[in-house]
Amino acid sequence: MVKVLERTNTEVVEQLAASVSNKQIGILGGTFNPPHLGHLIIADQVMTQLGLDRVLFMPDATPPHVDQKLAIDADDRVNMVADSIASNENFGLELTEVQRGGLSYTYDTMLELTQKHPENKYYFIIGGDMVNYLPKWQHIDELVKLVQFVGVRRENYPVDSPYPVLWVDVPLIDISSTMIRSRVKHGQSIKYFVTDQVAKYIKERQLYRD
């Protein structure tokens, strides 16, 4: 009798990935509510410093850590990301989470992506402030076998982690989506905070007015 060894999904993915030539793909996830120039700078700096082939922007459907009432419809956020990255052929959209819908958990998404694309080695980009929270991420011990985490250094945040993290220095751009929403609500300019296309989209759709 032949004994069949059971293997986890992660082990299958690792074996498939080892059998093909890897492409180096960065993943920048987020709500992008709205996307701003800080997101673009982070993506470009990580890509060039680590020599990645591409960076994919991955909007959340329903992020588990954000009040749903604060996030506008996913279609609008996807459209704004598409407008933001249109001029850079090395940037792309990853719509797995939006198309799946529901709460977005990184492990589920990256397991799906690595199974679909075993030729890719994924670099998951997070801010330095998020590194401390990695022990609380769902299935983190399995997730670190699927992706290489990339931490963007931030002042006053430690770089120590029980998990492997590649650190990248990126110029501090003090722009946030929260700030932009507030400025729109109060009738203030957001020029040079977002791309011209995104500013136009926000104005035409009357987003963030309430």
Side-chain angles (χ1 to χ4, degrees):
M1 178 180 295
V2 177
K3 183 177 181 181
V4 178
L5 298 178
E6 293 184 358
R7 294 180 296 171
T8 66
N9 286 334
T10 300
E11 288 172 335
V12 172
V13 168
E14 289 175 337
Q15 182 176 352
L16 289 171
S19 66
V20 294
S21 177
N22 284 341
K23 291 184 179 179
Q24 316 293 312
I25 305 295
I27 296 284
L28 182 60
T31 309
F32 299 114
N33 188 36
H36 53 72
L37 296 188
H39 294 131
L40 301 180
I41 291 170
I42 287 172
D44 179 71
Q45 287 295 309
V46 170
M47 181 177 67
T48 55
Q49 291 186 41
L50 297 184
L52 306 184
D53 295 294
R54 300 193 79 198
V55 172
L56 303 180
F57 289 66
M58 186 170 68
D60 297 314
T62 307
H65 58 284
V66 175
D67 188 334
Q68 295 181 32
K69 292 179 291 186
L70 296 180
I72 62 172
D73 188 81
D75 287 343
D76 284 321
R77 294 185 283 113
V78 167
N79 288 337
M80 287 190 287
V81 172
D83 285 342
S84 294
I85 66 177
S87 63
N88 191 327
E89 63 181 8
N90 294 317
F91 289 167
L93 265 173
E94 175 50 64
L95 298 179
T96 296
E97 293 191 341
V98 170
Q99 292 170 348
R100 184 174 63 225
L103 292 178
S104 299
Y105 290 103
T106 302
Y107 172 76
D108 296 331
T109 302
M110 297 314 303
L111 180 60
E112 181 177 345
L113 285 177
T114 49
Q115 288 175 335
K116 285 183 177 179
H117 302 285
E119 75 278 11
N120 292 343
K121 178 176 181 180
Y122 287 103
Y123 294 76
F124 200 90
I125 306 164
I126 58 175
D129 55 324
M130 291 298 298
V131 172
N132 285 341
Y133 292 96
L134 285 180
K136 299 181 180 180
W137 284 36
Q138 187 185 60
H139 301 303
I140 183 61
D141 291 330
E142 294 296 310
L143 179 57
V144 294
K145 298 176 183 179
L146 299 176
V147 304
Q148 170 63 64
F149 277 102
V150 178
V152 177
R153 292 182 192 271
R154 291 190 177 177
E155 291 185 0
N156 303 319
Y157 286 97
V159 295
D160 297 325
S161 174
Y163 301 101
V165 177
L166 282 176
W167 289 96
V168 173
D169 290 310
V170 174
L172 178 62
I173 308 297
D174 193 15
I175 301 175
S176 71
S177 297
T178 301
M179 175 195 300
I180 294 168
R181 294 195 302 270
S182 176
R183 294 182 71 86
V184 172
K185 182 178 180 179
H186 293 94
Q188 299 173 324
S189 172
I190 57 172
K191 191 174 182 62
Y192 305 123
F193 289 77
V194 299
T195 64
D196 290 342
Q197 296 93 329
V198 168
K200 180 180 179 182
Y201 189 95
I202 290 172
K203 182 177 181 180
E204 290 178 347
R205 298 281 179 146
Q206 296 290 297
L207 301 178
Y208 309 124
R209 299 292 179 177
D210 300 325

